[in-house]
Amino acid sequence: MTRAWLIGAGPGDVELMTLKATRALAQADVVLVDDLVNPDVLQFARADALVVYVGKRGGHPSTPQAGIVAQMLEHARAGRSVARLKGGDPFVFGRGGEERQALLAAGVDVEVINGITAGIAAPAAIGIPVTHRDYTQGVVFVTGHGAGSGEPDWAALAATRMTLVIYMGMRRLSDITGALLAAGLSADTPCAAIESATRPEQRHALAPLGGFADTVARAGLGSPAIVVIGGVASLADGVLSTAAATTANGANVK
Ligand code: SAH
């Protein structure tokens, strides 16, 4: 049976990729690289590997999901081993589940290799422990991308009082914070947004929920970024407490 790997490349910093991931990458005949993967990780691929970029960043047109699966199957059927490199973890908002099912259905042996997901790495990069027990009983990973029927139930999430870690939430940030405030989450709730975490261009913004969307907009933060909402965000670097962190306008931007 031909082999395929669904590999998590981690959040960006090459050193945050696992040994297992680098070893699998070193075996692959073909490497299909996703959007958010730091191209530096290709140093672990074979010099003669065929490398295909299937993401839209860097001027390449985005490849539809069906086309990516078709490419993987085509290579696998031709007897070539395929490494599918994804940002973060392949099974956290990464469509790794769908790809694994398609490969298995076609009789291709698939191995999943975890990566460090941005939802943990990005908060940690500025000192936020997402489950610090003095602040929360747990953490919810949620997509901010959905609109309409795909919209998460923000009121229900607010009621959990858990740390909310939002992926893909930047474009709809003011709608999301508005929904959380409307659901009764305090305007003082500490929040953080971390852009391009663990990369040299990493930036972040901190503000209480009430002024958070404005602060992020003024700081010009955009994708890819992780948003953290909850008491743990008060532990971000340089912040001793929410009160100490806030300037006159309630904002703290780095
Ligand atoms: N599988 C990935 C998530 C893919 S969804 C993982 O486990 O991390 C894409 C979203 O991930 C982005 O919109 C952003 O919210 C987040 N993301 C990925 N890399 C990031 C990084 N280096 N810094 C901040 N957010 C990141």
Side-chain angles (χ1 to χ4, degrees), residues 11 36 87-89 92-94 117-118 122 167-168 194-197 223-226:
L36 291 170
D89 185 274
V92 180
F93 301 120
T117 190
Y167 292 69
M168 298 170 276
I194 311 103
E195 179 193 281
S196 299
S223 260
I226 286 290

Side-chain angles (χ1 to χ4, degrees), residues 175-189:
D175 290 347
I176 293 168
T177 54
L180 292 169
L181 288 164
L185 213 56
S186 163
D188 296 332
T189 308

Side-chain angles (χ1 to χ4, degrees), residues 70-117:
Q71 277 190 58
M72 292 175 79
L73 291 177
E74 186 190 318
H75 289 300
R77 288 190 178 119
R80 293 184 282 270
S81 57
V82 184
R84 175 83 170 99
L85 260 184
K86 290 169 175 288
D89 185 274
F91 275 5
V92 180
F93 301 120
R95 304 206 183 178
E98 293 97 307
E99 292 179 13
R100 178 173 177 275
Q101 285 172 303
L103 289 162
L104 288 178
V108 179
D109 191 19
V110 197
E111 186 180 353
V112 177
I113 301 179
N114 289 120
I116 300 179
T117 190

Side-chain angles (χ1 to χ4, degrees), residues 39-175:
D40 290 351
V41 305
L42 293 170
Q43 67 186 272
F44 302 113
R46 273 183 9 220
D48 64 339
L50 171 64
V51 176
V52 186
Y53 292 90
V54 292
K56 56 180 165 254
R57 275 157 218 264
H60 302 277
S62 173
T63 314
Q65 185 62 23
I68 295 171
V69 171
Q71 277 190 58
M72 292 175 79
L73 291 177
E74 186 190 318
H75 289 300
R77 288 190 178 119
R80 293 184 282 270
S81 57
V82 184
R84 175 83 170 99
L85 260 184
K86 290 169 175 288
D89 185 274
F91 275 5
V92 180
F93 301 120
R95 304 206 183 178
E98 293 97 307
E99 292 179 13
R100 178 173 177 275
Q101 285 172 303
L103 289 162
L104 288 178
V108 179
D109 191 19
V110 197
E111 186 180 353
V112 177
I113 301 179
N114 289 120
I116 300 179
T117 190
I120 297 170
I126 61 165
I128 298 176
V130 290
T131 66
H132 194 301
R133 66 177 185 165
D134 290 348
Y135 296 84
T136 187
Q137 288 75 45
V139 54
V140 178
F141 290 149
V142 59
T143 173
H145 183 69
S149 58
E151 182 80 23
D153 184 343
W154 297 109
L157 291 173
T160 66
R161 306 284 148 171
M162 302 269 178
T163 303
L164 301 181
V165 168
I166 306 172
Y167 292 69
M168 298 170 276
M170 294 303 268
R171 258 192 329 115
R172 303 191 53 245
L173 193 58
S174 60
D175 290 347

